[in-house]
Amino acid sequence: MKLKRLLVQNYRNIPFLDFTPHDCFNVVYGKNGAGKTSLLEAISYLGLGRSFRQAKYQSLIKDGQDFFSISADINQNSSNFNESVGIKRNRARGQSLEIAINGNRSNRLIDLIDKLSIQVIHPQGIDLILEGPELRRNYIDWGVYYSYPEFKEHWFRYKKFLANRNTLLKDRAQSDTIQFWDEMLCESSEIITNFREQYLELLTRVLKEKLKVFLPQFDFEISFSKGWENGLPLRSVLDSNLEKDRILGYTFYGCHRADLKIKCNNFSASETLSRGQLKLLVCAMRLAQGSLLKQQIGKSCVYLIDDLSSELDPISREILLNDLKDCKSQVFLTNISKDIQTPSDALYIDIEKEINGAVM
């Protein structure tokens, strides 16, 4: 998948930008605050429906403006047909979200996710390892979503069943009423867990090969915690913990509590690795997902690398750039200067000139 044209309007400090990216490497350079990260964030918003900086959408709209819009022409797998996708967020709540896919209106963010597959590596990305399990579940489910089309339906069903059960727990409903939902909750949880386990079995092989290059001095162990004790049926776990859940007011066990655990040299990666090593680990994880996606369904990711030099020494940067070159995907990366070892035909984008030229 490639972005063939990108248009951004009123996004953070970008009043208007219209440019044609390179199919491989795009180096966005300029001083701090010029709009480099804003451009990458806009691309990620188009593909993920949210900011990788975890900002509310109202704060993304340029000061004094009523909306932001991002749109692109995309090409899937070098076909002769380009598709158009776009998203517009309005400051007014009543009409906050507008999505267009090939000229057709939609109000579902998931329609954008179906069209674009985005991987983001940014300075706060090591939170994937350092923070709680939710980010790691999202990491797993990104790959499961694209690998198993049925996953989406089961995940929506599970969220519905879980919300109903939690409401009943808070309302102190009768046990038999709660247990009525348990059967459906458990069935969906087992299916989702099976998808995750199948995916992680394949991903782990690819990831360990990447880690031999990125962090060869460490032995890594990758394990999956499914959200309840291994070897026990979820239904029996829910039954035996019903009173605990009543006290908590929510369901403690289930696939919504799953986690990915990573150890190196028999200790937690979060406690063992330096910040630079953690970033290399996250880079390997993101690139492994993109590599597996291409193997499974022939779909390429767009990689967004914000602040290439952050936490990475010259040798580490070279390792990352070499892997990005080998994957033959479209890459957007930001740096203070354009002094980076990239392919000779890379497109270098002076973000200040690009924005100021568009405004003029």
Side-chain angles (χ1 to χ4, degrees):
M1 184 196 75
K2 313 283 186 185
L3 299 182
K4 307 302 286 186
R5 183 187 181 191
L6 181 70
L7 293 92
V8 182
Q9 186 174 3
N10 298 333
Y11 192 92
R12 288 201 186 268
N13 58 342
I14 301 177
F16 185 79
L17 186 62
D18 180 357
F19 82 104
T20 302
H22 192 279
D23 280 352
C24 294
F25 269 78
N26 297 271
V27 180
V28 185
Y29 68 95
K31 65 184 181 182
N32 289 332
K36 304 186 301 295
T37 299
S38 295
L39 175 57
L40 263 61
E41 187 184 20
I43 297 172
S44 76
Y45 204 104
L46 184 62
L48 302 172
R50 55 181 169 78
S51 164
F52 62 75
R53 292 196 274 184
Q54 299 182 344
K56 294 182 178 179
Y57 79 84
Q58 291 91 342
S59 68
L60 305 177
I61 301 173
K62 193 175 186 302
D63 289 345
Q65 302 299 321
D66 296 326
F67 70 93
F68 74 72
S69 65
I70 311 158
S71 61
D73 293 336
I74 61 175
N75 185 275
Q76 302 284 1
N77 305 320
S78 302
S79 69
N80 295 322
F81 173 69
N82 288 343
E83 297 185 275
S84 63
V85 297
I87 185 169
K88 180 179 180 182
R89 302 284 331 220
N90 299 284
R91 201 179 292 278
R93 291 187 177 182
Q95 51 176 0
S96 64
L97 175 65
E98 298 177 40
I99 292 170
I101 309 290
N102 295 323
N104 298 314
R105 294 294 183 90
S106 171
N107 59 1
R108 304 191 317 159
L109 287 172
I110 203 164
D111 291 335
L112 285 176
I113 298 171
D114 285 342
K115 293 296 180 183
L116 290 95
S117 50
I118 303 286
Q119 285 285 2
V120 186
I121 297 170
H122 58 99
Q124 291 75 45
I126 61 174
D127 287 347
L128 177 62
I129 309 299
L130 298 177
E131 296 296 323
E134 182 178 1
L135 292 177
R136 292 184 290 279
R137 280 195 301 275
N138 291 341
Y139 168 79
I140 297 168
D141 289 344
W142 182 95
V144 177
Y145 178 90
Y146 288 111
S147 301
Y148 303 98
E150 318 95 285
F151 169 78
K152 177 168 56 176
E153 176 187 350
H154 289 290
W155 179 241
F156 285 146
R157 290 182 64 200
Y158 181 82
K159 288 174 67 176
K160 175 184 175 182
F161 298 152
L162 182 64
N164 287 339
R165 188 178 194 270
N166 287 343
T167 298
L168 293 170
L169 289 168
K170 292 173 184 176
D171 292 344
R172 310 292 296 179
Q174 295 292 322
S175 298
D176 57 349
T177 305
I178 295 173
Q179 289 169 344
F180 170 81
W181 289 99
D182 285 356
E183 195 66 42
M184 293 178 286
L185 186 79
C186 292
E187 181 183 354
S188 290
S189 190
E190 294 282 4
I191 293 171
I192 289 166
T193 299
N194 186 49
F195 284 141
R196 287 171 171 170
E197 289 175 333
Q198 290 181 58
Y199 176 73
L200 285 173
E201 182 179 356
L202 298 172
L203 179 67
T204 299
R205 297 174 195 167
V206 179
L207 177 55
K208 285 191 173 181
E209 289 301 313
K210 295 278 186 195
L211 290 171
K212 288 177 183 178
V213 177
F214 279 66
L215 292 162
Q217 67 272 44
F218 294 103
D219 290 323
F220 284 89
E221 178 185 341
I222 300 165
S223 60
F224 175 59
S225 172
K226 60 185 183 179
W228 68 95
E229 188 177 343
N230 288 336
L232 291 178
L234 179 56
R235 181 59 189 269
S236 66
V237 174
L238 293 179
D239 287 344
S240 60
N241 287 276
L242 180 56
E243 290 310 311
K244 174 184 176 179
D245 286 352
R246 285 187 191 277
I247 294 169
L248 293 172
Y250 61 86
T251 305
F252 190 81
Y253 296 100
C255 69
H256 62 287
R257 303 278 294 184
D259 195 5
L260 184 67
K261 299 181 183 296
I262 302 177
K263 290 184 177 182
C264 56
N265 295 353
N266 297 319
F267 294 96
S268 170
S270 62
E271 299 172 358
T272 306
L273 301 179
S274 68
R275 290 184 64 86
Q277 290 166 340
L278 284 169
K279 183 165 183 178
L280 277 178
L281 170 58
V282 171
C283 289
M285 292 171 69
R286 297 294 184 190
L287 287 161
Q289 279 199 318
S291 179
L292 181 58
L293 181 69
K294 201 166 189 177
Q295 290 176 28
Q296 285 185 306
I297 62 174
K299 186 172 185 176
S300 298
C301 292
V302 172
Y303 291 97
L304 309 177
I305 319 294
D306 187 33
D307 197 356
L308 176 69
S309 300
S310 173
E311 310 286 0
L312 296 181
D313 59 31
I315 295 175
S316 298
R317 291 199 295 271
E318 184 178 2
I319 291 171
L320 174 58
L321 288 171
N322 284 339
D323 199 292
L324 287 168
K325 292 173 191 175
D326 290 342
C327 75
K328 294 180 171 51
S329 295
Q330 192 174 42
V331 179
F332 295 80
L333 59 87
T334 67
N335 203 51
I336 293 293
S337 71
K338 63 177 182 179
D339 185 20
I340 304 173
Q341 294 298 318
T342 58
S344 58
D345 60 346
L347 176 64
Y348 289 85
I349 304 157
D350 183 333
I351 190 65
E352 288 184 277
K353 289 183 179 179
E354 199 73 35
I355 292 174
N356 292 336
V359 173
M360 293 173 62

